[in-house]
Amino acid sequence: MALANAFYNTFVKRNSVFVTSIFAGAFAFSVGFDVAVNNFWDRWNQGKQWKDIRAKYIQEDADS
Amino acid sequence: MLSRLPAAALKSQSVLGASRSTASAFRTRATSQVRFASSSSATLESLLTSRASLISVTLFSAGSIAWYTHLYGSLPFVGEVHANSLADDGLHPTAYPWPHKGLFDTFDHASIRRGFQVYREVCAACHSLDRIAWRNLVGVSHTADEARALAEDVEYTDGPDDKGEMFQRPGKLSDYLPPPYANEEAARAGNGGALPPDLSLIIKARHGGADYVFSLLTGYMDPPAGVEIREDMSYNPYFPGGAISMARVLWDNLVEYEDGTPATSSQMAKDIVTFLNWAAEPEHDERKKMGIKAVILFSALFAISIQVKRFKWTVLKNRKIFYNPPKDLKH
């Protein structure tokens, strides 16, 4: 109950704080979620993607 | 089928049967109790022997057979002899463990790069790839500089210039891969009347996809005894009909890979099929990654929605309704 009260008093009491925290939370979640999935993806497909083999073909001053 | 019959028909039959059987088999027994006990078995008997049952069962059987024949084209449990063989439809390709087969697997981009080399040195002599531009290779199998250099090797017709004339210029990244023939008629004329299909979407356009194309490229063999193959055609059991106008092209060490991979014919077939699979589905890697994200998010949302529903419904699901009838005080 103390936790719920603290949550209510911190985030929900003022609408400006409530809305802002929802937007900030959505932003932080989407960034974190993407990072987590991409990490898993790159570990699973290690050595197969272009960025893994790109170093073999890149010359100096190349732009891709 | 029984349920389709009017209920009165069954009822009258059972009554008739019951009275008849009680009259014959149970004539000696006189007590009403015995007659009552035997009447249920008599009903069953009449159900099994009555004319209505016979008709309905016959109709049911005939209907099932007709339905099956309509659905599958042949009678069940009856042997048939066909003039054509299954080989005429082409062998089913083996399912190969492609590096990009799994739900989480991207293409093997080193293989795409080798496959492009095979396409350019071997396949491009007859097959076009007109939905792929040089720019599509950038960031997939080649650097921008490499792709630009490849494009500049090809001359493209551009124009009109300010005098209204077309002119030749070296290729740019935005140009599409050059076709080997100017038009379909030229392609047919160069290949004995057979049109080499465009390979841009060939993996999507054939049943069996990558497995089929790999099997086709590696499946050339001498025709079996009794199979006649026309001149200029080859026998391939994976090709429907068996006779294919494309001769076997992949022989060991046909190309020399820049990364030192031994160029066996199956290696080249695997690489070209991976490349063509990428050409048919360039969005493949991104699509699978997005799919993972979507599945995770939507299953989480679904679980939450189930929880919310249970929470909202607890009041309704747990209530009890009591009914206290009003007492009639007058009696």
Side-chain angles (χ1 to χ4, degrees):
Chain A
M1 202 62 205
L3 195 69
N5 280 338
F7 175 79
Y8 180 83
N9 287 329
T10 321
F11 291 111
V12 188
K13 210 165 204 175
R14 294 176 66 88
N15 191 49
S16 57
V17 178
F18 189 49
V19 171
T20 314
S21 57
I22 286 174
F23 276 66
F27 181 74
F29 172 78
S30 78
V31 170
F33 183 70
D34 278 359
V35 166
V37 172
N38 286 345
N39 277 342
F40 160 77
W41 182 258
D42 292 343
R43 202 165 59 247
W44 185 277
N45 293 301
Q46 206 156 31
K48 283 163 71 183
Q49 298 187 83
W50 169 245
K51 60 184 163 195
D52 301 326
I53 59 169
R54 175 174 170 270
K56 280 193 270 182
Y57 306 109
I58 202 83
Q59 288 125 27
E60 289 302 308
D61 311 328
D63 55 0
S64 177
Chain B
M1 201 41 100
L2 278 173
S3 61
R4 297 275 177 87
L5 287 172
L10 274 175
K11 207 171 161 190
S12 67
Q13 285 288 329
S14 72
V15 167
L16 211 150
S19 62
R20 200 197 301 134
S21 63
T22 42
S24 59
F26 303 102
R27 192 175 289 157
T28 50
R29 301 181 186 175
T31 59
S32 64
Q33 219 166 9
V34 171
R35 203 187 301 141
F36 181 73
S38 69
S39 72
S40 72
S41 76
T43 313
L44 183 69
E45 196 193 325
S46 74
L47 201 67
L48 291 175
T49 56
S50 71
R51 192 179 297 259
S53 303
L54 183 67
I55 291 171
S56 51
V57 167
T58 308
L59 283 177
F60 180 74
S61 310
S64 312
I65 292 173
W67 188 27
Y68 184 97
T69 316
H70 172 68
L71 205 60
Y72 297 107
S74 63
L75 285 172
F77 313 118
V78 178
E80 286 184 42
V81 178
H82 291 283
N84 61 336
S85 76
L86 285 176
D88 291 343
D89 298 330
L91 286 187
H92 284 188
T94 317
Y96 289 102
W98 297 100
H100 56 269
K101 192 169 191 174
L103 286 177
F104 303 150
D105 290 328
T106 63
F107 283 126
D108 183 354
H109 284 245
S111 187
I112 294 179
R113 190 183 168 98
R114 290 193 298 269
F116 175 72
Q117 190 186 344
V118 178
Y119 168 75
R120 192 156 170 263
E121 296 181 12
V122 184
C123 316
C126 300
H127 290 278
S128 57
L129 192 71
D130 57 16
R131 277 159 201 265
I132 298 296
W134 297 105
R135 62 183 160 78
N136 295 126
L137 300 172
V138 175
V140 174
S141 59
H142 293 73
T143 64
D145 286 348
E146 286 172 327
R148 214 170 272 130
L150 287 170
E152 280 165 5
D153 287 345
V154 185
E155 289 241 306
Y156 286 86
T157 306
D158 203 351
D161 60 8
D162 47 10
K163 295 193 188 70
E165 283 156 14
M166 306 301 277
F167 58 93
Q168 297 292 112
R169 61 157 175 79
K172 297 185 286 194
L173 278 182
S174 56
D175 286 316
Y176 284 80
L177 298 196
Y181 299 103
N183 48 52
E184 185 185 324
E185 285 70 19
R188 284 190 189 280
N191 290 285
L195 175 70
D198 183 78
L199 295 183
S200 306
L201 297 167
I202 203 78
I203 300 292
K204 273 182 175 170
R206 292 292 177 270
H207 286 292
D211 292 329
Y212 166 73
V213 178
F214 182 89
S215 300
L216 190 79
L217 289 173
T218 55
Y220 284 91
M221 56 186 284
D222 291 332
V227 175
E228 293 267 334
I229 298 294
R230 260 197 307 156
E231 186 115 1
D232 301 331
M233 295 188 97
S234 307
Y235 180 74
N236 195 317
Y238 294 98
F239 193 72
I244 183 169
S245 290
M246 184 174 102
R248 180 180 169 181
V249 283
L250 294 180
W251 305 91
D252 287 352
N253 300 315
L254 186 66
V255 302
E256 193 176 337
Y257 283 136
E258 56 186 352
D259 58 1
T261 309
T264 60
S265 56
S266 59
Q267 176 71 45
M268 285 186 287
K270 179 223 163 190
D271 291 337
I272 186 64
V273 168
T274 308
F275 171 71
L276 292 177
N277 204 336
W278 166 77
E281 298 178 276
E283 81 292 351
H284 172 278
D285 294 358
E286 200 55 37
R287 165 165 62 79
K288 280 183 175 173
K289 195 199 272 186
M290 203 179 279
I292 296 178
K293 290 177 186 175
V295 168
I296 292 174
L297 286 179
F298 284 126
S299 29
L301 289 175
F302 180 65
I304 291 173
S305 75
I306 295 286
Q307 279 302 313
V308 169
K309 183 259 163 187
R310 287 171 65 92
F311 177 69
K312 297 279 187 195
W313 278 70
T314 32
V315 183
L316 290 172
K317 290 282 188 185
N318 291 313
R319 71 181 175 177
K320 284 182 179 171
I321 299 172
F322 291 98
Y323 175 59
N324 291 319
K327 283 172 184 138
D328 200 346
L329 297 173
K330 284 183 181 163
H331 296 287

